[in-house]
Amino acid sequence: MAEKDNKLHIALFPWLAFGHMIPFLELAKLIAQKGHRVSFLCTPRNINRLPKLPPNSINFVNLPLPHVEGLPEDAEATIDVPYHTIQYLKKAYDGLQESVTLFLQSSNPNLIIYDFAPYWVAPIASKLGIKTSFFSIFISPTLGFMGPPSVLKGESSVNYEIRTKPEDYTVPPKWIDFPTTVAFRYFEIKRIFDSMSPNDSGVSDVYRIGAGIESCDVVAIRGCIDFEPEWFRLLRNIYNKPVLPIGQLSPAGDQNDNGGDETETETWLKMKSWLDKQEKGSVVYVAFGSEAKPGQEEVTEIAFGLEKSQLPFFWVLRLTQAAALPAGFEERVEGRGVVWKTWAPQLKILAHESVGGHLTHSGGSSVVESLKFQRALILLPLTADQGIYTRILEEKKMGRCVPRNERDGSFTSNAVAESLRLVMVEENGKIYRERVKEMSELFGDMDRQNRYLDAFLDHLKCH
């Protein structure tokens, strides 16, 4: 009976982007494996698109998204809409307050773990006596660079200056009390500077983060103290509340099985057939996640760069991207390179022994998955906090960023080719290949992951 009483009911509520929903789902699975009851709050179409789980392991709670003018009828995730329309998705998401309140009142979970977007959850839960945890898929250096809740909410103070222009974000802020290169490059912050100002939803993205952190009981962060100790210390100081690592949420299990439906199995077998013919560690895997979409100029330079590198490559390039490959490119690289234009099983590809490196946007999940399989990193950040993650990986000699123009972010095919060859095969780039092997334990060690999760759950039981 005591064992049963020790189990918790935990609700999770992610933002409607697959780069957020998937880490939340990984966390939900790990919590459920500990024997706790888990409710996963999300919209119906997104729940249907998430990876299938064993029956009854997690209770999926359907929250129909309210209609908002400017948002297409079936749009329920950022992948469904152009960038400028995401503000309407946030407005619709804020319309879920009543549904979430009703769920909390009727289900009375011990804890709700929420994302950056629903900054309004903690005050509702607290009134009902439910504990709250802000869960950041953004790494601790991103949060540390962005600053304390007061700064994020735009409240000026004697101790902290408010940043008002893009240039302010290109240098480390004064509250960081140790040497670091962590800052946005001008073109990176320029691309996302609108997130610092209120949009059609009525508040800015950074305000959401600040308010969500300010009102929670505990901050949980995707990350590892062994990897970023100084950043966790900084956050505890500027948040003045518990800040706990939740682990890297590296996917578990054997990625080379042929699970999934018949179509997915057939797709993988085609890919595997090509990968099996390549030399061990020779292939560059090229993919930029589901959210980051390279523009036409970027696709062109990447293509010519891959061609000039003379390395074998497997490029996942979604057909939905409004960009065409250079004329004759696929014919010229036939046999040496593959351009795959539909869904691809990233984990299985990264797990294949012929893959040696990953040309990536520095998205959190992609980095974790690459490092789990000891794949060298060639970095090309495109949006969000990917530039910050890139700085950290460069500081630790775990990845090499493709050289770019500081003002507009443009890059050349020569820069792509040289970066690929340096990291993949040249003697001067050996450090990158060795470092990812050294650090992979921090990203793929499930025992370490278990210890972080146990510490987080124990904290909840004791406070």
Side-chain angles (χ1 to χ4, degrees):
M1 188 69 172
E3 176 65 20
K4 189 176 179 183
D5 292 344
N6 208 24
K7 297 304 179 186
L8 303 169
H9 177 197
I10 297 176
L12 294 96
F13 186 35
W15 163 234
L16 306 179
F18 280 90
H20 290 246
M21 290 184 279
I22 297 297
F24 265 75
L25 186 62
E26 287 296 330
L27 178 57
K29 282 156 56 178
L30 290 170
I31 293 171
Q33 285 165 15
K34 301 279 185 188
H36 301 290
R37 184 179 161 205
V38 176
S39 296
F40 194 93
L41 283 60
C42 203
T43 61
R45 187 173 176 221
N46 287 329
I47 288 173
N48 288 335
R49 290 187 286 185
L50 287 169
K52 298 295 175 270
L53 301 178
N56 305 320
S57 58
I58 292 172
N59 173 37
F60 286 97
V61 180
N62 281 285
L63 303 177
L65 200 63
H67 174 69
V68 165
E69 192 174 341
L71 189 66
E73 196 64 43
D74 62 346
E76 292 189 14
T78 55
I79 197 172
D80 301 327
V81 295
Y83 181 79
H84 69 274
T85 310
I86 293 173
Q87 59 182 326
Y88 305 118
L89 188 63
K90 290 192 176 86
K91 189 174 182 180
Y93 185 79
D94 289 342
L96 293 173
Q97 289 185 47
E98 187 179 344
S99 302
V100 172
T101 302
L102 289 171
F103 165 79
L104 293 175
Q105 287 172 334
S106 61
S107 300
N108 193 32
N110 301 96
L111 170 77
I112 182 163
I113 299 173
Y114 61 93
D115 210 330
F116 84 96
Y119 64 100
W120 35 265
V121 161
I124 296 169
S126 297
K127 283 178 187 170
L128 298 170
I130 297 166
K131 290 179 184 176
T132 57
S133 173
F134 177 97
F135 171 41
S136 172
I137 69 150
F138 305 115
I139 58 173
S140 59
T142 296
L143 293 180
F145 180 82
M146 294 308 294
S150 60
V151 169
L152 293 163
K153 292 173 69 182
E155 298 165 359
S156 58
S157 70
V158 177
N159 297 324
Y160 303 122
E161 297 172 12
I162 301 298
R163 294 173 283 196
T164 57
K165 55 187 187 298
E167 288 81 0
D168 296 338
Y169 290 85
T170 61
V171 292
K174 290 178 181 175
W175 55 78
I176 297 180
D177 57 0
F178 50 85
T180 182
T181 60
V182 165
F184 285 103
R185 292 167 71 180
Y186 181 81
F187 73 87
E188 292 168 347
I189 190 62
K190 194 76 174 137
R191 289 182 179 186
I192 60 165
F193 195 62
D194 59 337
S195 65
M196 311 298 170
S197 306
N199 53 44
D200 201 69
S201 71
V203 294
S204 68
D205 290 355
V206 291
Y207 181 92
R208 289 175 186 272
I209 296 170
I213 290 167
E214 186 176 65
S215 54
C216 72
D217 294 313
V218 57
V219 176
I221 298 177
R222 181 183 192 172
C224 168
I225 285 184
D226 299 312
F227 184 64
E228 48 218 332
E230 68 277 23
W231 292 99
F232 275 93
R233 178 186 59 77
L234 172 70
L235 290 176
R236 286 168 182 152
N237 288 341
I238 63 177
Y239 291 170
N240 199 25
K241 62 176 59 183
V243 178
L244 302 176
I246 210 80
Q248 300 290 1
L249 303 180
S250 175
D254 179 9
Q255 305 307 331
N256 281 316
D257 65 67
N258 287 329
D261 62 31
E262 199 172 319
T263 307
E264 286 183 12
T265 301
E266 194 178 320
T267 297
W268 167 238
L269 289 175
K270 280 183 190 172
M271 297 175 180
K272 186 175 182 297
S273 173
W274 184 84
L275 290 167
D276 285 346
K277 294 169 188 165
Q278 312 308 312
E279 288 183 25
K280 184 177 179 180
S282 67
V283 176
V284 181
Y285 174 56
V286 186
F288 301 101
S290 57
E291 310 288 335
K293 297 176 175 66
Q296 180 61 67
E297 284 184 25
E298 291 168 324
V299 167
T300 299
E301 296 303 324
I302 291 167
F304 284 136
L306 288 166
E307 190 173 349
K308 289 175 181 177
S309 76
Q310 292 297 304
L311 296 168
F313 65 87
F314 193 101
W315 186 3
V316 178
L317 181 66
R318 297 289 182 95
L319 283 172
T320 52
Q321 292 171 183
L325 289 164
F329 170 73
E330 289 179 272
E331 291 76 13
R332 292 194 301 275
V333 299
E334 191 174 356
R336 177 167 66 83
V338 171
V339 181
W340 196 269
K341 297 173 183 173
T342 55
W343 173 86
Q346 176 159 296
L347 280 169
K348 288 183 178 181
I349 296 169
L350 286 169
H352 196 282
E353 67 173 13
S354 71
V355 175
H358 187 183
L359 175 56
T360 173
H361 58 310
S362 291
S365 293
S366 289
V367 169
V368 168
E369 290 164 8
S370 297
L371 292 171
K372 175 186 170 81
F373 298 113
Q374 303 183 7
R375 305 311 178 213
L377 295 168
I378 307 94
L379 309 168
L380 194 68
L382 296 172
T383 189
D385 69 330
Q386 293 159 11
I388 298 293
Y389 211 157
T390 296
R391 300 300 98 73
I392 289 292
L393 293 167
E394 286 183 303
E395 274 190 0
K396 296 178 183 290
K397 299 292 184 190
M398 294 170 65
R400 162 83 173 195
C401 188
V402 175
R404 300 168 80 166
N405 180 289
E406 289 292 331
R407 300 300 291 181
D408 63 13
S410 61
F411 55 89
T412 66
S413 57
N414 285 338
V416 173
E418 288 163 11
S419 298
L420 289 170
R421 291 199 61 80
L422 176 73
V423 173
M424 290 290 291
V425 296
E426 289 176 7
E427 187 63 26
N428 288 349
K430 192 176 179 183
I431 187 169
Y432 300 111
R433 301 189 290 276
E434 290 180 344
R435 284 293 282 164
V436 294
K437 288 174 183 172
E438 289 170 19
M439 303 296 282
S440 65
E441 190 181 325
L442 296 182
F443 290 79
D445 180 358
M446 296 311 291
D447 289 337
R448 188 188 303 270
Q449 173 70 73
N450 267 322
R451 289 196 297 274
Y452 279 132
L453 186 58
D454 285 341
F456 174 69
L457 295 171
D458 287 345
H459 176 89
L460 299 174
K461 291 171 186 173
C462 298
H463 292 82

